[in-house]
Amino acid sequence: MGVNINTIELYRILEITPIQQNIMLVGRHGIGKSRIITDYFSERGRKVVSLFLGQMSDPGDIIGLPSLSSDNNRTEFRLPFWFPDDNSPVVLFLDELNRARPEILQTVMDLVLNKTLAGKSLPAGSQIISAINEGEEYQLTDLDPALLSRFNVYNFSPTTDEWLLWATGRKLDKRVIDFISANPDLLDQPVNPDAGLSKTADRRAWERVADLISPLKEIEKETEKAIAGIIGIQTALKFCAYLKQLSQISAIDILTNFKKNISKLKKAQAHETTLLNEAMFRIIETEEEPDKITKYIENLELYIQWLVEEKRNEVLAHWTTMYESNTYPKSRFKILNNSQYIFQNIVSFIKEIKI
C-alpha cells in the first residue's frame, strides 16, 4: 500500500529528513513531482541537479567517460557534465528511476548507497531524491529490492486544492482554475493503457491549456480542437461548454469592487456562490502585496455582511467551513488582521451555523 502524502506533508518530510537519507516519490506523471522538488530547494538556496534516467542509454552518461591519467597512466573517469565542480553540495534528483535500463540502475546503486561515483564522492551535504511512475500504463523496469531499500518511499498524491492554490499563485488563466474548482475529478484522469494515443487530462496538460487560452477572450472552433489535443476530446467538450455558459461574475470582481457587482451576485445560484467563496480564499491566500490584501479584505467584509443580511446561510456556512479549515492558513491570518468586523463576528457566525 505504501505511505500516502500530499504536498504540505511532503514539504514537512523534506524539512525533517536528514540529508544522508534518500527519498523516493511514487506517483503518476504530470502531478508536479519534479517542479515541486526543484522549487522547494531552489527557494532555499540549494542547487538541484536533475537527471532523467529514462533517457540515458549508457552508464557513461552518469559516471563519465574513461580516459588515461596523465599522472600514472591508469584509467580514470572524467567527471560527467552534471557533477558539481565547485565542491558545493547539491540535491541530486533522479527522475524516472524505474524507466532506467538495468545497466544504468547498477551504476546508480553505489551513488545512492555511498554518494560516490567511480571513486569520487559528491560534495558533503549533498542529498539524493528520486521519482518514479507507477501503473500498468507505463513501460517500467522492476527495481531491485536492494536498491529500493536505500530510499524512504512515499506515494505522492497532491490534492486538488493544493493544485488550485498553486495555479492561482502562478496566475494561470482563471477559466481553467474555475473549471477545475467546479470539476475536480477532471484534474487527473486515469490513463487507459489500451487507448493508444488518446489523450487524457493531467495537471501538466491543464497548465498548457491555460497558456493556450490566456490571450484569447473567445474560444473559436479551431481553439477547441487545439484544446482537445491537450486534454482529450471528451474533457475538451465539457470545458468548452463550461466556457460558453460562464457566469458574468468572478471572485476578483467581488474582491476589487463588491458594490459594483452586487446586482450580478444577487442572480448567482448557491453553487456558483460557493465556488466564488473558494476562489476568493485562493486569491487572498496567494496575494503578497499589502495594498491589494487590504482592498480585498475590505470588499470581503462587505460580502460577508451581505450574506448575513440576505440570510444566505448555506453560502455563509460554506465560507465559514473553509475559514476553519487548514487549507488557507494565510487567508485566515490576513482576514483577522484586516477586518475587525469579521474578527468580532466570526465566532457568532460559527455558533449560529452549528445550531
Side-chain angles (χ1 to χ4, degrees):
M1 292 290 291
V3 179
N4 296 319
I5 61 172
N6 59 30
T7 306
I8 293 175
E9 292 165 333
L10 172 59
Y11 288 157
R12 182 58 180 155
I13 287 171
L14 292 175
E15 182 182 344
I16 66 176
T17 300
I19 57 174
Q20 64 268 25
Q21 296 184 18
N22 308 317
I23 293 174
M24 177 182 290
L25 302 180
V26 182
R28 61 166 290 168
H29 67 280
I31 60 174
K33 299 186 293 293
S34 306
R35 186 198 300 272
I36 288 172
I37 291 297
T38 300
D39 289 350
Y40 176 86
F41 286 108
S42 297
E43 289 169 3
R44 287 155 179 78
R46 298 182 64 184
K47 182 179 179 181
V48 179
V49 176
S50 297
L51 298 181
F52 295 93
L53 301 187
Q55 300 175 7
M56 295 183 173
S57 59
D58 185 271
D61 295 333
I62 297 182
I63 64 175
L65 297 177
S67 64
L68 286 178
S69 169
S70 58
D71 296 331
N72 53 26
N73 209 34
R74 292 185 177 182
T75 300
E76 62 181 12
F77 285 89
R78 294 184 177 182
L79 291 177
F81 71 94
W82 60 267
F83 200 93
D85 55 6
D86 58 358
N87 209 35
S88 297
V90 298
V91 177
L92 186 59
F93 184 57
L94 305 177
D95 205 357
E96 301 180 339
L97 182 66
N98 60 340
R99 286 176 178 261
R101 298 161 65 98
E103 56 269 30
I104 301 295
L105 291 178
Q106 290 298 320
T107 305
V108 166
M109 181 71 82
D110 190 37
L111 188 60
V112 300
L113 176 59
N114 302 310
K115 292 188 173 62
T116 60
L117 196 64
K120 294 184 173 60
S121 299
L122 289 174
S126 294
Q127 188 171 7
I128 296 177
I129 297 177
S130 72
I132 68 173
N133 296 324
E134 186 176 52
E136 295 180 357
E137 64 268 30
Y138 305 110
Q139 295 180 352
L140 305 174
T141 303
D142 290 335
L143 295 180
D144 189 310
L147 176 61
L148 195 62
S149 70
R150 312 300 182 192
F151 290 91
N152 307 341
V153 182
Y154 305 99
N155 296 327
F156 181 48
S157 302
T159 67
T160 301
D161 283 341
E162 289 171 340
W163 185 87
L164 290 168
L165 275 174
W166 171 84
T168 302
R170 290 297 182 96
K171 301 191 184 316
L172 294 193
D173 191 282
K174 69 175 296 295
R175 290 168 289 184
V176 168
I177 295 173
D178 291 346
F179 176 75
I180 295 301
S181 180
N183 302 274
D185 58 310
L186 296 180
L187 177 59
D188 296 305
Q189 292 181 283
V191 177
N192 182 355
D194 300 320
L197 296 178
S198 296
K199 289 286 294 182
T200 55
D202 58 41
R203 297 164 193 237
R204 191 182 297 152
W206 282 115
E207 186 178 355
R208 295 204 300 272
V209 170
D211 291 340
L212 176 70
I213 70 172
S214 181
L216 307 175
K217 290 185 177 180
E218 301 293 335
I219 305 301
E220 301 175 347
K221 185 173 294 186
E222 291 78 9
T223 308
E224 292 181 7
K225 288 189 175 182
I227 293 171
I230 301 174
I231 56 177
I233 295 174
Q234 295 303 317
T235 305
L237 288 173
K238 293 178 182 178
F239 178 60
C240 293
Y242 170 84
L243 297 183
K244 292 173 183 177
Q245 53 88 42
L246 269 181
S247 169
Q248 296 300 307
I249 190 169
S250 68
I252 198 65
D253 293 334
I254 300 296
L255 292 176
T256 53
N257 197 331
F258 172 80
K259 292 180 179 179
K260 181 179 178 181
N261 292 281
I262 190 170
S263 60
K264 296 178 182 177
L265 188 59
K266 288 180 178 180
K267 299 176 183 178
Q269 300 295 318
H271 75 278
E272 293 177 301
T273 316
T274 55
L275 291 176
L276 286 175
N277 282 347
E278 295 172 9
M280 283 189 275
F281 268 94
R282 289 194 297 269
I283 291 171
I284 295 171
E285 183 77 11
T286 55
E287 184 55 65
E288 299 296 338
E289 294 185 28
D291 290 344
K292 286 187 177 180
I293 293 171
T294 300
K295 186 177 185 65
Y296 292 167
I297 303 302
E298 288 175 355
N299 283 279
L300 177 64
E301 185 175 296
L302 295 174
Y303 171 71
I304 294 297
Q305 290 174 348
W306 179 79
L307 290 178
V308 174
E309 292 167 1
E310 294 288 317
K311 294 182 171 49
R312 300 287 182 103
N313 292 336
E314 181 182 349
V315 179
L316 185 59
H318 177 262
W319 187 92
T320 305
T321 299
M322 288 193 302
Y323 177 86
E324 286 191 291
S325 74
N326 295 322
T327 306
Y328 307 103
K330 294 180 181 178
S331 296
R332 178 161 46 187
F333 178 79
K334 293 170 186 175
I335 290 169
L336 291 180
N337 264 7
N338 289 274
S339 174
Q340 188 176 7
Y341 169 80
I342 297 178
F343 175 77
Q344 291 176 341
N345 290 278
I346 190 65
V347 175
S348 62
F349 293 163
I350 295 172
K351 284 182 178 178
E352 290 177 9
I353 290 167
K354 288 183 176 179
I355 291 175

